[in-house]
Amino acid sequence: MKLFIDTGNLKEVEALAQIGILDGATTNPSLLAKESADPRHILTQICALVNGPVSAEVVATDYAGMVREGRDLAGINEHIVIKVPFTKDGVRACKTLADEGHRVNVTLIFSATQAWLAAKVGAAYVSPFVGRLDDIGTTGMTLIREIVDIFDNAEFPTEVLVASVRSPIHVIEAARMGADVVTAPASVIEQCFKHPLTDIGLERFLKDWEKAQAARV
Ligand code: E4P
């Protein structure tokens, strides 16, 4: 399973990209709006840092506007994946852009039928939002299992990109269910590194080593 970072913050991307664990990134208008730098500059920099797919979302809501904006975003860098919201206009724009050879990520997916329709028109990725489904008292990960099954049965090449991730449990469940990609905020990726026994173990190794060195002199 590939790991993308879900952010518009360059420092967060840089810190994790240099470790070598990132396969790509996703952004959305809310994430880019938090940053003071020009969004196109941010997207260009993220592309250079992750050297992989970077989703950039259109803000137009009509078909023609989405297609126009999508083509423009794709011109920023070869790594840009055009992100469109799941609406009728978004699905139509996805078909047009995919037919032109662009990679499209259909976002704001909350049901299996939505994912299926997006895949039918050639989406490269669908982004089901698991955390937001959990927030309304349902189990977001159940949707991932359904979409993975449907795409396997239909042999769709569309990748299941698990989004709105809130914890390492979402990450692990996504991997176990056979999702293609998980996109997580930096805070969740940081949590994936941590285990108290690793810290305690390392501290003990180093103390024992120091003790032995001191005894030798
Ligand atoms: C995905 O591409 C979205 O940017 C993101 O995962 C939304 O997550 P949120 O529900 O935490 O805002």
Side-chain angles (χ1 to χ4, degrees):
M1 182 176 73
K2 284 168 272 190
L3 173 63
F4 290 2
I5 184 168
D6 192 31
T7 189
N9 186 282
L10 286 174
K11 283 205 175 98
E12 289 181 354
V13 180
E14 197 173 9
L16 291 165
Q18 69 184 1
I19 304 173
I21 54 169
L22 296 182
D23 301 297
T26 51
T27 65
N28 65 40
S30 305
L31 291 170
L32 289 172
K34 283 191 208 163
E35 307 298 321
S36 53
D38 168 51
R40 294 178 82 90
H41 168 76
I42 294 175
L43 290 166
T44 306
Q45 294 301 113
I46 296 178
C47 288
L49 287 167
V50 300
N51 195 28
V54 176
S55 289
E57 189 164 340
V58 300
V59 289
T61 54
D62 63 301
Y63 163 74
M66 285 191 213
V67 170
R68 202 169 39 244
E69 214 184 313
R71 287 176 186 145
D72 180 54
L73 288 168
I76 294 176
N77 189 285
E78 58 177 347
H79 290 307
I80 293 287
V81 173
I82 304 160
K83 204 173 181 189
V84 302
F86 185 92
T87 58
K88 283 182 187 160
D89 282 48
V91 171
R92 187 177 164 203
C94 173
K95 169 127 182 71
T96 300
L97 292 164
D99 285 351
E100 287 175 5
H102 295 294
R103 287 176 299 168
V104 183
N105 175 357
V106 181
T107 189
L108 291 167
I109 296 282
F110 292 97
S111 76
T113 50
Q114 291 178 331
W116 173 68
L117 289 168
K120 271 177 70 63
V121 294
Y125 304 93
V126 289
S127 291
F129 277 33
V130 294
R132 293 194 197 184
L133 282 169
D134 291 352
D135 290 345
I136 60 158
T138 58
T139 308
M141 292 310 296
T142 305
L143 176 60
I144 303 305
R145 197 184 294 284
E146 282 176 352
I147 299 173
V148 168
D149 281 353
I150 292 165
F151 285 13
D152 281 351
N153 290 342
E155 296 184 357
F156 282 137
T158 307
E159 297 193 31
V160 181
L161 192 166
V162 179
S164 186
V165 159
R166 302 276 159 79
S167 76
I169 295 170
H170 280 149
V171 176
I172 289 309
E173 286 188 352
R176 292 183 66 182
M177 287 176 184
D180 301 283
V181 190
V182 68
T183 189
S187 56
V188 172
I189 300 175
E190 294 289 349
Q191 282 178 286
C192 291
F193 275 93
K194 291 202 165 85
H195 198 289
L197 289 179
T198 305
D199 299 338
I200 294 167
L202 179 59
E203 203 184 320
R204 196 175 298 162
F205 284 156
L206 295 178
K207 267 199 189 128
D208 289 345
W209 181 256
E210 273 168 31
K211 231 188 276 169
Q213 295 301 104
R216 275 195 191 111
V217 288

